[in-house]
Every structure is written in C-alpha cells, then in structure tokens.
Amino acid sequence: MADEDQSKKAKEDQSNKKTNNPKSYQVRKECIKRKSMELATLCDIKVCTVITGPNGQLQTWPDNLDACKEVLDLYSQNLKPEKKHKESSTPVPEPEEEQGEKDLLTLVESKLTAVNRRIRFLENKNVAIADKGKRKIIE
C-alpha cells in the first residue's frame, strides 16, 4: 500500500516537472508556432496563434499584432449570425440546424438505397445459386 502511494507521488512529481519545465514550454511553443506557419503556408489560409506562457505572458504568431488582429476580426465576423431582411427578394438561408437535419436525412436515404440494392443483389444471387442445380444448359 505504501509502495503504491510512493509510486503515485513519484509519477505526479515527474508529470509536474514536465509541465512546469521552462525548456519543455519553449519547445512546445516553438512547435505550435511552426505548425501554425505550416498550416498557413500549405493550406493558404490566414492563421493566428495566441499562446499564454506559464507566467501569464502572451505571445502570438505572427509576431505582427496587426496581422493577428485581422485574423481575429475575420473569425469574429464569421461567428455573427446574418441578419434577415424582410424586403429582400433573395432566398433567406435556412438555419444551420435545419440544413444539418436535411443533410443527415439525405445521407440516411442514400445509405438506405444502397442497402436495399445490396439486399436485392444478394437475393438474386441466392436464387441463381439455388436454381443452378435444377436448370439444364441448352446449347
């Protein structure tokens, strides 16, 4: 029992050392910044990373705060719901829940159709196998 308690404490101490280690934080921070840069380059998208250090300091990637603010503004604009205009003649987009339900229904219907096709195929295959011994081939 005492050995178990000591081993638990040793594991907790070891994990605390890893998370509180400034070198470990530095390595992880650089990795996050590198991955953000790769994501922005490879996917051709705007990326901003905000990292809070163990002592509460904030660091960003890219280092230019104007670029970070631009990405954050784009993000906040995408979170705002679109206003519905009564006078507009353009169709009003459906709420996301209804669109999601329609997408799910379409998916389920397509899967059901595929399953029904497969059942018919297997039924026909079984009939053909059962009839194979009874039928005579006429040439």
Side-chain angles (χ1 to χ4, degrees):
M1 185 87 167
D3 292 333
E4 290 177 16
D5 291 338
Q6 288 177 352
S7 65
K8 286 181 183 178
K9 287 181 182 179
K11 288 180 183 177
E12 288 176 8
D13 290 341
Q14 192 175 23
S15 67
N16 284 339
K17 286 179 183 178
K18 286 182 181 177
T19 57
N20 293 331
N21 186 353
K23 186 176 181 180
S24 176
Y25 164 74
Q26 190 68 23
V27 169
R28 290 179 179 167
K29 178 186 73 167
E30 293 305 318
C31 180
I32 290 171
K33 285 183 175 183
R34 186 179 68 248
K35 294 294 181 183
S36 298
M37 182 181 64
E38 290 172 0
L39 184 65
T41 304
L42 295 174
C43 297
D44 194 27
I45 59 173
K46 295 187 180 199
V47 177
C48 171
T49 305
V50 179
I51 302 170
T52 305
N55 57 1
Q57 67 184 15
L58 283 177
Q59 294 186 355
T60 62
W61 183 90
D63 293 328
N64 181 359
L65 292 179
D66 292 332
C68 288
K69 186 176 180 186
E70 180 183 338
V71 173
L72 293 173
D73 287 341
L74 286 171
Y75 176 75
S76 64
Q77 287 173 359
N78 288 333
L79 290 179
K80 295 177 184 176
E82 294 181 20
K83 295 180 181 178
K84 297 180 182 177
H85 299 287
K86 292 182 181 179
E87 302 173 70
S88 176
S89 61
T90 59
V92 178
E94 296 179 1
E96 288 183 15
E97 287 182 340
E98 289 180 15
Q99 184 64 35
E101 290 174 2
K102 285 186 177 183
D103 291 343
L104 181 62
L105 183 61
T106 304
L107 177 66
V108 169
E109 287 175 347
S110 68
K111 296 291 183 184
L112 180 62
T113 304
V115 167
N116 286 333
R117 261 190 264 136
R118 182 70 177 163
I119 289 171
R120 283 193 303 273
F121 171 76
L122 292 174
E123 287 174 345
N124 291 338
K125 187 176 180 180
N126 288 338
V127 168
I129 290 171
D131 290 343
K132 189 175 184 179
K134 296 177 184 176
R135 293 185 183 172
K136 293 182 181 179
I137 300 175
I138 302 173
E139 295 180 346

